[in-house]
Amino acid sequence: MEKIMAINSGSSSLKFKLFAMPAEEELAAGQIERIGIDGSRVTIKNQAGEKYTEETPVPDHKAAVGLLMKLLRQLSIVTDPEEITGIGHRVVAGGEAYKQSVIVGDDDVAQIKALAEYAPLHNPANGAGIQAFRELLPHAVSVAVFDTSFHQTLPPENYIYSVPYEWYEKWGVRRYGAHGTSHRYVTQRAAEILEKPYEQLKLISCHLGNGSSICAVQNGQSFDTSMGFTPLAGLTMGTRSGDVDPSLVGFVMDKLGITTGNEMVTLLNHEAGLKGISGISSDMRDILAQAAAGNDRAQLALDIFVRNIVRYIGQYVAEMGGVDAIIFTAGIGENSAPIRKLVLDRLAYMGIKLDSAANEHPNGDCVISTPDSAVTALRVKTNEELMIARDVQRLAHEAQ
Ligand code: ADP
């Protein structure tokens, strides 16, 4: 048995899951929050679901990793740090350099930092997490798993924008997509449930959370996806606008007296989406409750959210020339039967028939359409951390 840890490090947080592999058993999970800020706090849950929390100063990522290792021993989750043979790190932007997950060498640390241009908030933090583990657990193999790499199989007509080609050549302006690890996990899981070869299916994966994206998967490869140059594009999200006409950017900047593109992009990232439309909340539960209570703007936000999903599914069915299965995952996709129904009812023209009982009371990862439905619909719980742990295990074994 090997112990493998999946890490998601943000600028002020570090989330982890520890797995026993190849059993894929989750041994512990938790997070350290407010790194470098007053009120740092660590939370660890063991396999029995017992929760340990402590508030203690954590000045940086290295201190966070040190604290985590100390507590994992103290809580008898590991007896010796040497037991942890591999660490997998989520990295947001892999650019064109990373077409798959890699074992991290010195050059990769530098490369991941250099890619910060494409994810200024995330890549530096991801890099800090990698560095901290490489210093404190030098015996463990470090693997980087990129949100973008699954989408490196997109054909050029799906990743090149209709702008001067030199922008791509000079600066890498193209569609990179995101949520790749989740789309990869849930589509593979769907193939397993359908008992069909992954490489022979046409799938559409709807990752609907605070951030949302849709991915068309054909022949086991990402074929098109709704996020773009950054995760701002595509669907209406909690606080992100999704697709807009770029000319509104300059127009609104003039109106608001905004002078930098960055500031405008921040508005589109944080003040738009469900929150911006409804004026109420970015949280789908609030939107659903308020819409049901008769709030027009919440209803409008809900309608736009659903319409955009339907629009993208229609687009991807047309692009792939059909679809075998549509998968719903992440916070909204996994938990909201009403949203799944609103989307799937609008696809009845494709011969999709929802199994209402299965949709309302899904039993784990399962089919939610009827046996005679022309397209199968599934609800699958995403598990990016497990996908990361699998990559670590596979790469570590290949390297031996
Ligand atoms: P993140 O993208 O931050 O990982 P999640 O995947 O956890 O987010 O999704 C968060 C979203 O899921 C929120 O909008 C939340 O309202 C929504 N959500 C969670 N449970 C439900 C539910 N039962 N019904 C509707 N929406 C839900």
Side-chain angles (χ1 to χ4, degrees):
M1 184 189 74
E2 297 173 64
K3 287 182 181 163
I4 290 177
M5 184 131 72
I7 296 294
N8 185 352
S9 68
S11 53
S12 66
S13 70
L14 189 144
K15 295 186 187 142
F16 81 95
K17 266 191 192 176
L18 182 68
F19 292 94
M21 300 294 279
E24 303 193 341
E25 206 179 314
E26 196 178 307
L27 302 175
Q31 56 191 328
I32 296 161
E33 295 161 287
R34 302 182 64 83
I35 297 172
I37 311 174
D38 279 351
S40 314
R41 166 193 293 274
V42 54
T43 310
I44 299 179
K45 226 195 230 177
N46 69 13
Q47 212 171 1
E50 292 157 352
K51 204 159 142 183
Y52 173 87
T53 48
E54 183 185 325
E55 237 180 77
T56 178
V58 184
D60 54 28
H61 285 80
K62 197 167 166 189
V65 175
L67 174 67
L68 177 59
M69 294 318 301
K70 186 186 93 176
L71 289 174
L72 288 176
R73 274 204 307 271
Q74 209 170 297
L75 298 169
S76 306
I77 294 166
V78 299
T79 19
D80 180 344
E82 299 271 330
E83 287 168 25
I84 300 175
T85 54
I87 317 279
H89 296 269
R90 174 194 181 210
V91 178
V92 168
E96 289 193 320
Y98 293 104
K99 301 196 185 308
Q100 53 223 338
S101 307
V102 290
I103 294 181
V104 178
D106 293 338
D107 291 353
D108 297 301
V109 176
Q111 174 89 279
I112 287 165
K113 286 193 176 158
L115 286 164
E117 207 183 2
Y118 299 103
L121 297 180
H122 295 102
N123 268 43
N126 303 153
I130 293 177
Q131 233 160 351
F133 274 98
R134 286 183 87 212
E135 281 172 36
L136 293 175
L137 265 78
H139 68 276
V141 58
S142 283
V143 168
V145 179
F146 303 87
D147 276 9
T148 50
S149 56
F150 184 54
H151 304 302
Q152 281 294 303
T153 50
L154 258 56
E157 63 269 35
N158 286 346
Y159 72 73
I160 294 290
Y161 287 114
S162 309
V163 295
Y165 193 74
E166 303 82 67
W167 297 1
Y168 166 61
E169 291 177 309
K170 280 192 199 152
W171 308 310
V173 170
R174 55 160 286 174
R175 181 189 305 281
Y176 291 102
H179 286 150
T181 311
S182 174
H183 290 304
R184 184 156 60 105
Y185 175 82
V186 300
T187 51
Q188 287 180 6
R189 182 86 183 99
E192 231 173 74
I193 295 168
L194 297 172
E195 297 181 2
K196 300 239 171 80
Y198 187 49
E199 295 72 22
Q200 289 172 22
L201 289 167
K202 290 177 178 168
L203 302 166
I204 295 177
S205 161
C206 307
H207 177 113
L208 311 176
N210 276 320
S212 296
S213 72
I214 301 200
C215 181
V217 175
Q218 195 171 16
N219 307 325
Q221 296 187 327
S222 175
F223 176 70
D224 205 352
T225 193
S226 62
M227 282 179 167
F229 178 61
T230 70
L232 179 55
L235 300 172
T236 300
M237 306 181 217
T239 62
R240 284 178 236 163
S241 63
D243 298 334
V244 295
D245 178 344
S247 61
L248 76 73
V249 169
F251 181 84
V252 173
M253 283 174 77
D254 289 347
K255 294 284 178 201
L256 293 176
I258 291 175
T259 51
T260 66
N262 234 343
E263 206 180 324
M264 183 63 198
V265 167
T266 302
L267 280 185
L268 292 171
N269 264 312
H270 297 290
E271 303 299 333
L274 297 175
K275 179 182 171 191
I277 303 165
S278 70
I280 294 171
S281 171
S282 63
D283 193 301
M284 183 51 86
R285 284 165 292 202
D286 299 338
I287 298 293
L288 284 165
Q290 289 297 318
N295 183 299
D296 289 344
R297 293 256 300 275
Q299 185 64 51
L300 180 62
L302 178 59
D303 291 344
I304 294 173
F305 180 82
V306 170
R307 180 65 55 88
N308 274 330
I309 297 167
V310 170
R311 179 178 287 141
Y312 266 100
I313 292 175
Q315 179 183 328
Y316 292 159
V317 171
E319 277 190 61
M320 292 194 290
V323 62
D324 297 304
I326 299 175
I327 303 136
F328 290 85
T329 192
I332 301 170
E334 289 165 23
N335 299 309
S336 180
I339 297 280
R340 293 192 298 256
K341 180 172 164 54
L342 284 169
V343 172
L344 292 172
D345 281 353
R346 280 167 180 70
L347 300 173
Y349 73 92
M350 284 168 31
I352 296 188
K353 292 187 196 156
L354 186 66
D355 177 337
S356 295
N359 184 47
E360 269 151 49
H361 306 286
N363 183 11
D365 297 342
C366 65
V367 171
I368 54 168
S369 52
T370 60
D372 63 340
S373 179
V375 175
T376 309
L378 298 103
R379 178 256 198 196
V380 174
K381 204 168 169 342
T382 194
N383 197 339
E384 289 157 283
E385 297 84 1
L386 177 57
M387 195 77 244
I388 290 174
R390 284 180 187 168
D391 280 1
V392 175
Q393 199 196 16
R394 177 174 51 80
L395 289 172
H397 283 224
E398 279 171 18
Q400 270 170 12

